[in-house]
Structure formats: structure tokens, C-alpha cells
Amino acid sequence: MKTPRSAATGEERLIARHFRPLATHPGALGLIDDAAVLSVPAASELVLTVDAVVAGVHFFPGDPPDLVAKKALRVNLSDLAAKGATPAGFLLSLALPQSVDDRWLKAFTRGLRADAKAYGCPLLGGDTDRTAGPITISIAAFGTLPKGAMVHRSGARTGDRIVVTGTVGDAALGLALRRAGNARPWRLRPRERAHLSARYLLPQPRNAIAECIRKYATAAMDVSDGLAGDLGKLCAASGVAAIVDVARVPLSPAARRAVAAEPRLIEMALTGGDDYEILAAVPPRAVAALRSKAKAKGVPVTEIGTVVRGKPAARFRDREGKQMLFKRLSFSHF
Amino acid sequence: MKTPRSAATGEERLIARHFRPLATHPGALGLIDDAAVLSVPAASELVLTVDAVVAGVHFFPGDPPDLVAKKALRVNLSDLAAKGATPAGFLLSLALPQSVDDRWLKAFTRGLRADAKAYGCPLLGGDTDRTAGPITISIAAFGTLPKGAMVHRSGARTGDRIVVTGTVGDAALGLALRRAGNARPWRLRPRERAHLSARYLLPQPRNAIAECIRKYATAAMDVSDGLAGDLGKLCAASGVAAIVDVARVPLSPAARRAVAAEPRLIEMALTGGDDYEILAAVPPRAVAALRSKAKAKGVPVTEIGTVVRGKPAARFRDREGKQMLFKRLSFSHF
């Protein structure tokens, strides 16, 4: 329970030293108030999301603190991107074990500060507590977009194309690699191993194309729990089915080599988590425009399937047109 | 690390069963989307706050789950009240150990639902994760108020009166009582013991008078880390000093009896945490109006001191006019 300590200002010092430099938004009030204040332009509305990362669950306790900070923020930025929203700021809730020292916090806030700047998403406020458990970082992030413009999961219509950004499965393979330790499986080159590991360690959210998603997608979400399961959720929300040609699902060269060495890995790639790509349904006539606009922003978009009438579900076909059955559709903590 | 489990929809089932019934706000989208959406009226702005409660730090692991839920929400509602904001909704981030079962969650969400309704602060979205540590509940709460109307900590001016709502120190004494177990100190009657314990277990945030605070206070904050330290923070933010007459600080009958039995407890009452009352600076001419308007809402307001020129600090005088020196000013986790 709360045990007062002699240095009453320990928490204030911690905030002043590590977090105040991040409070660049005027509404953060230098982190000296109980709350932050945010204006939302009259023609806009606010998009709100929250995601936590927990040591031992979402990252390894020994991961570099600056990358842990970036991951914690980016998993939220990815949600904003998929909804078509422009980042406006975030609140940070930290539960820290005694083992976390000044050096860890310094690196953590360095990472957080860099990404807050890079993505235009400043710290608005926060809360820091002690825990007897693992480091727990919960971030609530806010974005804005024109009123009524949020891209929901529920808007996919029969005939829409299913598209996905970037490549799928890298992070899941990267996690498997880390678990394998020195076993070095799948005949990967060092550069390929590094690529997959980096994709697990640090998501690359697609905020650069949030506006394109808003303009062209009928439905969208970020792929955080695995393509197969997440597409299933989009289908359920939209009341449609989707058929995906697995051969069209974009894999990185590293993932392709791993799957070539061990074909069953395709299931890991399609159902593993942490991709943080955008999955969207797009009317056929809009696919080319989305691809070209996104490409101009440096984001590859690949058409992988079609929305069809039928019992809401995501169906994956192999090269022979046979439906693939997965042991599990996506990651779940519960 | 993330280990996919066979039941891919465990998390979805948990959300559907326990949390969807709370998602009464249309912007929560039934909790089936990546994010929530919130409109802020053109003449208003948003007030944002975040506070976490951790088992073993802010509550006892065996506390009734419905009261834990209410405490987690109310510590945030208290911040909104002190800023003069009307609750608009909240995001919930839960980290749960394996030991948390369906029954715990059922009671937890029952409490959360009751308070969300009572305070007009609906669930907008959330995130649920596993943790190897204690139950960790982080809530980000949002309120609205007319643009520019937020009551800051920094507005106190020389000559203002210092006022506080309700009574101070009950929760700190209640916590001490719980720690004392069967020792039953301070010659308290059963009803008085119950009063103090209840004040620790369940804050009573002062949202009923948010509008009065907005109208009359030049500066305000909620008292969560102890009156002495929190008033010190208000003084620091405002660049003023404050002198408080300890004899005027409102104590409940239970706290008065405890202090009578053991005079050193006055320090615990003035520096202990978890009061969740509102501390405010009010121009002298506005004190009577604030007191009468607040009284009409069922909230007692007591004048306890004065804002003076000087080195920013809160000074507490005893009955003889002598300055009291505390071992510590307020609670801090760090």
C-alpha cells in the first residue's frame, strides 16, 4: 500500500527530469497540472485509442528502452493511421518496478521524444506508479479528422478489394527467431535475420497514408493480431466474407526464404501478430489510385483478395484454389 | 512473450461478455473497432487526464472488485471536477494476472457500469492484456468545458482564500486502520471506523460542483497526495505562498476523535493521500457564493487559509500561530 517516503518530491523530480522536456504541446501545461487541455477544430472530431505493452508479453525485458518507448507509442499510432486520423497527442501511464533506473528512463524518454516529434504526436500528460510486477506502459492516443470521416471496420461491401500495406508475417517470424536464439533456422542470411528481428522489435505504422485510407477505403483496421484473424474481424463487423489468395499476400524476401525453407511457416506469417500494417477494403475502381498515392508516400499497397457475399469469415486459398485451414486464426492473450 | 492460444477469440469473448454492455456511447462503436470517436462542441474544449491504480499499491488485492473499478474511475473523475470539466467518457487499459476470473470481472464491470452511469462518463474503448504482475487498471478520462474555462493550478493570486471541500485526512486514517488490523486504535466507535475505512476504499469525487469551481475559483486541484503537499504544488504553480490555519481544516467526527486520542495524527491527516476533495483558491468576495452554491449541491466548502506574497510554499499554523513542520509534505511513489 501507499507508504509515504521522506523525499516527497521524488515523483515530481522524475517527471521534471524525464518527462517535462516532452511536454511541448501548450495544452500539456508543462505537466504541472492535473489534466491537459485540447482544442478540436469545429469541423473535426477526435479519434481515441488505447493500447498497453507489458514487459514479458509485448517486449522482452532487456529490449532497448528507447525502442520499447517507440513500440508503445507506435502500436497506438497504427490504430490512428488505420482510422484515417492525424495524430494530435497522447497520454502516458507508466507502472515501473524498482529495478527501473534513471538510465532506463533516460533512454525510454529519448525514444518517446523522437517518435512524438517524428509523428507529430506530443505528450499531453501522464501518470507514473510503482508496481511489484513488470514494466507496464499504457498509452492513450488521440487523432483528429473531418467530422464523420473516420474509417470504420464495418464499411466493407461486396465487390470491394482487400488490400494490405507493406509485408505480412515478418514480426511473427522475427519473434520466432528471437525465441530460437542461436539455433539460426530457415537458412536465412544475416541481413534477413536482422530484417525480421527489427520488424518485431519496432513497428512501422503507416501514418503517412492516413489521408489516402480516409479517401479510398470503405473499411480499414491495423493488422496487430495476425492477418487471418484481423480480416475475420473486419468481415464480422461488415457482415461480409472475404477470399484471399495466399500467393498474393506480400512477403518480404526474408519471409519468402523462411517459407521456402519450411512451408508450414506460411501459417505463422498469416496468423502471427505485430505486423502493424493497414488492412483495408477498397472499391475496385479506387484500388489503382490508392496504390499510386500510397506509393508516392513510400508505402506499398498490395491487392490480396475480394469481398464476397456470405457468412462473415475470411477465407484463404492456396495456389491450387483450395481453402487453407489454420490451427488458430490470430493471437489472443485470453 | 505472445503465445497464440487455440481459442483465438478468447479476448473477443471477454470483451463481448463483460465490457460491451458498458459501451453505451455511440462513439464507442460497440467496442468492435480499433478506436472510438468523440465530437467536441465548437465552443468547448477537451480536458484529458490519466491515472492508474495498481493492486498492492492503490488498493488491497482482496478489495471488492466493484469498488476497485469505482475507485479507478473516480480518481480520474476527481481530476475533471477540480478542473471544472463535465465528464464525457473514458478509455480503460487493463492488465490482468491469470488469477482474475470471470466472477471478478463480472463484479468489476458491474461497479464500473454503475459509476459510468452515475457520473455520465461512459466507456469509449479499452485494451486488455495479460500480466505476470498485479492487477493494473489505467483509465484515461475526458471532460468538456467552454473554451478557455479550465481552472488551472496556476491562477492563485495574493489575497485569495484557500478553500477545501468535505473533510481531509479520512482516507489516510482509514488506510492506517486497515493496516492496524485488529489492533483497533484511537478509541473509535464502530461507525467511525467504518467511515474512515470507506473513505479509503471509495473516493467521493466532487463532480457535482465542477461548474461552481469554474465560476469562482482562480486555481484548483484535487487533493490526492495529501493537503500539505498538494497545496504546495498549487502555490508553486501560481508563484505564491499560502498560510493555512490547521484549526480550520475540516475533519470528520471520526478523524477528530482519532486526533484527540493521538494528537500526532494531525500530521497524517494533513499529509496523507487519497482525500479526493477539491482544493481551490477563491477571491475573498466569491467565497460566500461558492459556499452557498456548493452547499446546495450537497458539498461543504470550508475556508482554511489565505494566499500571500512570498516564496512559493504552503505554511501550516497551529492554534498558537506557530508554523508546523512536517516530516514529509505528501505522498510520493518515488
Side-chain angles (χ1 to χ4, degrees):
Chain A
M1 302 289 93
K2 284 191 170 189
T3 301
R5 295 173 57 172
S6 59
T9 53
E11 196 166 349
E12 289 173 277
R13 276 200 306 272
L14 183 147
I15 292 166
R17 182 182 307 164
H18 295 293
F19 293 100
R20 192 154 300 147
L22 277 74
T24 55
H25 189 290
L29 304 170
L31 305 182
I32 63 153
D33 217 303
D34 306 75
V37 64
L38 190 67
S39 275
V40 180
S44 299
E45 57 193 354
L46 204 70
V47 173
L48 311 92
T49 185
V50 63
D51 258 315
V53 298
V54 180
V57 181
H58 304 88
F59 64 92
F60 290 81
D63 283 348
D66 54 334
L67 300 188
V68 170
K70 290 182 176 194
K71 183 168 193 170
L73 184 55
R74 290 185 183 194
V75 301
N76 284 285
L77 288 165
S78 180
D79 282 321
L80 295 180
K83 303 291 98 182
T86 303
F90 71 100
L91 296 173
L92 171 68
S93 178
L94 269 181
L96 300 175
Q98 290 280 357
S99 60
V100 165
D101 58 11
D102 218 57
R103 202 172 138 188
W104 192 94
L105 276 168
K106 201 172 161 185
F108 179 83
T109 47
R110 185 179 64 233
L112 203 55
R113 190 179 189 172
D115 263 12
K117 194 173 171 198
Y119 290 91
C121 193
L123 177 67
L124 293 171
D127 179 50
T128 312
D129 292 289
R130 280 283 179 227
T131 179
I135 297 170
T136 304
I137 307 157
S138 179
I139 287 184
F142 315 103
T144 55
L145 40 63
K147 268 187 186 160
M150 184 173 121
V151 185
H152 294 220
R153 284 188 188 176
S154 56
R157 280 163 287 183
T158 305
D160 283 350
R161 302 304 187 237
I162 300 294
V163 303
V164 70
T165 59
T167 57
V168 165
D170 292 334
L173 295 168
L175 173 57
L177 268 187
R178 283 195 67 169
R179 283 178 168 153
N182 290 322
R184 316 214 160 207
W186 316 329
R187 299 197 286 272
L188 296 173
R189 295 177 182 131
R191 205 182 47 193
E192 293 164 339
R193 295 171 54 86
H195 168 80
L196 297 179
S197 297
R199 286 273 286 169
Y200 170 73
L201 204 55
L202 190 59
Q204 304 291 339
R206 300 306 193 173
N207 299 78
I209 62 160
E211 210 177 315
C212 303
I213 293 297
R214 214 160 69 211
K215 187 161 179 193
Y216 297 112
T218 54
M221 65 186 294
D222 79 327
V223 186
S224 56
D225 293 335
L227 177 66
D230 284 345
L231 180 55
K233 290 173 198 164
L234 189 145
C235 287
S238 295
V240 298
I243 299 176
V244 169
D245 288 314
V246 171
R248 300 170 80 183
V249 172
L251 299 181
S252 68
R256 277 205 302 274
R257 182 182 293 268
V259 171
E262 206 170 313
R264 68 167 183 82
L265 289 175
I266 189 66
E267 177 161 349
M268 185 186 285
L270 296 174
T271 62
D274 280 335
D275 288 317
Y276 298 106
E277 297 289 355
I278 297 179
L279 174 69
V282 181
R285 67 182 181 286
V287 172
L290 170 61
R291 289 192 59 184
S292 123
K293 293 270 172 63
K295 195 179 172 189
K297 301 275 185 187
V299 179
V301 169
T302 307
E303 186 180 325
I304 60 171
T306 311
V307 176
V308 296
R309 231 180 289 274
K311 186 171 162 255
R315 302 204 291 270
F316 286 73
R317 289 192 306 212
D318 65 16
R319 284 173 199 283
E320 283 78 44
K322 262 185 23 198
Q323 188 173 343
M324 294 175 73
L325 293 175
F326 302 123
K327 281 197 220 77
R328 53 182 181 265
L329 279 178
S330 70
F331 172 75
S332 171
H333 288 291
F334 291 88
Chain B
M1 302 286 95
K2 283 190 171 189
T3 301
R5 295 174 58 173
S6 60
T9 52
E11 196 166 351
E12 289 172 277
R13 274 199 307 272
L14 183 146
I15 292 165
R17 182 181 310 164
H18 295 292
F19 293 100
R20 192 153 301 148
L22 277 75
T24 55
H25 189 290
L29 304 170
L31 305 182
I32 63 154
D33 217 302
D34 306 76
V37 64
L38 190 66
S39 275
V40 180
S44 299
E45 56 193 354
L46 204 70
V47 173
L48 310 92
T49 185
V50 64
D51 258 315
V53 298
V54 180
V57 181
H58 304 89
F59 63 93
F60 289 81
D63 282 348
D66 54 334
L67 300 187
V68 170
K70 289 181 176 194
K71 182 168 194 170
L73 184 55
R74 290 183 182 195
V75 301
N76 284 285
L77 288 165
S78 180
D79 282 321
L80 295 179
K83 303 292 98 183
T86 304
F90 71 100
L91 296 173
L92 171 69
S93 178
L94 268 182
L96 300 174
Q98 289 280 353
S99 60
V100 165
D101 58 11
D102 219 58
R103 201 172 138 188
W104 192 95
L105 277 167
K106 202 173 161 184
F108 178 83
T109 48
R110 186 180 61 233
L112 203 55
R113 190 180 189 171
D115 264 11
K117 195 175 171 195
Y119 289 91
C121 193
L123 176 68
L124 293 171
D127 179 50
T128 312
D129 291 290
R130 279 284 179 227
T131 179
I135 298 172
T136 304
I137 307 157
S138 178
I139 286 184
F142 315 104
T144 55
L145 40 63
K147 267 187 187 160
M150 184 173 121
V151 184
H152 295 221
R153 285 189 187 176
S154 56
R157 280 164 288 182
T158 305
D160 283 351
R161 302 302 186 239
I162 301 293
V163 303
V164 70
T165 59
T167 57
V168 164
D170 291 333
L173 295 168
L175 173 56
L177 269 188
R178 285 196 65 169
R179 282 178 170 153
N182 290 323
R184 315 213 161 207
W186 315 330
R187 299 197 287 271
L188 296 174
R189 293 178 184 132
R191 207 182 47 194
E192 293 164 339
R193 295 171 54 85
H195 169 80
L196 297 178
S197 297
R199 286 274 285 168
Y200 170 74
L201 204 55
L202 190 59
Q204 304 292 339
R206 300 306 192 172
N207 299 78
I209 62 160
E211 211 177 314
C212 303
I213 293 297
R214 215 162 68 212
K215 188 161 178 193
Y216 298 111
T218 55
M221 66 186 294
D222 78 327
V223 186
S224 56
D225 293 336
L227 177 66
D230 283 345
L231 180 56
K233 290 173 199 166
L234 190 145
C235 287
S238 295
V240 298
I243 299 176
V244 169
D245 288 314
V246 170
R248 301 170 78 185
V249 172
L251 299 182
S252 68
R256 276 204 303 274
R257 181 181 293 267
V259 171
E262 205 170 315
R264 68 165 184 83
L265 288 175
I266 189 65
E267 177 161 348
M268 187 188 283
L270 297 173
T271 64
D274 280 335
D275 288 317
Y276 299 105
E277 296 290 354
I278 297 180
L279 174 70
V282 181
R285 66 180 183 287
V287 172
L290 170 61
R291 289 191 61 184
S292 121
K293 293 272 174 60
K295 196 180 171 188
K297 302 274 185 190
V299 179
V301 169
T302 308
E303 187 180 325
I304 60 171
T306 310
V307 176
V308 296
R309 231 179 290 274
K311 186 171 163 253
R315 302 203 293 270
F316 285 73
R317 289 192 306 211
D318 65 16
R319 283 172 199 282
E320 283 78 45
K322 262 184 26 199
Q323 188 172 341
M324 295 176 71
L325 293 175
F326 302 123
K327 281 198 221 74
R328 52 178 182 268
L329 278 178
S330 70
F331 173 76
S332 172
H333 288 289
F334 291 89

